[in-house]
Amino acid sequence: MNKIILVGKGASGKNFLMERFENRGFHHLVSHTTRPIRPKEKDGREYHFISEKEFNRMIENDEFFEYQKFGDYYYGTSKKEWEMSNVVIMAPQGVENLKKLGVRQDCFVIYIDIPYHIRKERLCNRNGRHTDEIEKRLMNDEIEFDGFKDYDLRIENPNF
């Protein structure tokens, strides 16, 4: 099954674009994560929020299509979710894993590249203020996306 893969730094508009696809009948993948749930998020909608112990159990049972550690938390795509979906949000490392798994050619990768200052403003607005955690997230994104070029389409649209 072919997939649309959305890739972008924090606050770039990935979820906004994913919702647009859903409104057209596409089914999005819900990843698993060990990070804490944020206000207004719902388990099973944005992510399947699980403990690190449960995440490791799933690794041991070979339940993940791909997984990675980003910052202090784990993120993973279960094999079950991969099969059921046609729109997926991934990080650059996830796209790299698609090559290793031999399925990159079946995916159309859209990179949403929004300027740093706009992402910072969006994150501060979401949080209600500027914090060290926001700065850490922004800097981690800069490191993770450094040199990322494995996409089929790049969108630069600060109005998302």
Side-chain angles (χ1 to χ4, degrees):
M1 174 191 283
N2 293 335
K3 309 265 186 240
I4 297 169
I5 310 295
L6 304 176
V7 182
K9 298 171 187 170
S12 63
K14 298 177 302 287
N15 289 326
F16 176 84
L17 192 54
M18 182 186 63
E19 288 173 12
R20 297 286 190 183
F21 279 112
E22 282 186 312
N23 290 339
R24 298 290 182 124
F26 290 81
H27 178 75
H28 84 276
L29 182 140
V30 180
S31 298
H32 289 72
T33 186
T34 60
R35 81 156 170 77
I37 193 167
R38 296 179 184 144
K40 298 184 182 179
E41 288 182 327
K42 183 179 176 187
D43 185 41
R45 186 179 61 198
E46 286 80 12
Y47 288 98
H48 296 291
F49 295 93
I50 61 175
S51 68
E52 192 167 327
K53 182 179 179 180
E54 176 67 8
F55 200 97
N56 286 322
R57 184 201 61 75
M58 290 179 72
I59 292 171
E60 290 171 15
N61 290 336
D62 194 31
E63 295 179 42
F64 284 113
F65 179 72
E66 62 88 25
Y67 64 91
Q68 65 183 346
K69 187 168 188 180
F70 179 69
D72 297 329
Y73 306 110
Y74 287 94
Y75 295 83
T77 302
S78 73
K79 291 177 180 178
K80 180 180 177 183
E81 286 282 342
W82 179 260
E83 290 302 319
M84 294 178 3
S85 66
N86 39 27
V87 178
V88 182
I89 292 176
M90 285 190 157
Q93 186 177 344
V95 175
E96 182 66 29
N97 288 341
L98 295 176
K99 285 192 268 186
K100 293 174 187 171
L101 294 164
V103 297
R104 172 59 178 93
Q105 70 280 0
D106 298 327
C107 301
F108 188 82
V109 178
I110 301 172
Y111 175 31
I112 307 166
D113 191 11
I114 303 298
Y116 182 93
H117 70 281
I118 294 173
R119 294 183 311 102
K120 181 176 180 177
E121 180 182 321
R122 288 177 180 179
L123 288 169
C124 290
N125 287 341
R126 274 189 214 163
N127 192 37
R129 62 188 179 359
H130 181 260
T131 65
D132 290 340
E133 184 177 321
I134 287 172
E135 280 300 323
K136 182 180 175 184
R137 182 175 178 193
L138 289 165
M139 292 312 299
N140 282 341
D141 279 346
E142 294 304 312
I143 293 166
E144 183 181 15
F145 280 81
D146 185 42
F148 177 65
K149 297 201 183 324
D150 189 10
Y151 52 83
D152 300 298
L153 175 66
R154 180 177 171 189
I155 297 173
E156 295 181 59
N157 183 355
N159 297 318
F160 266 20

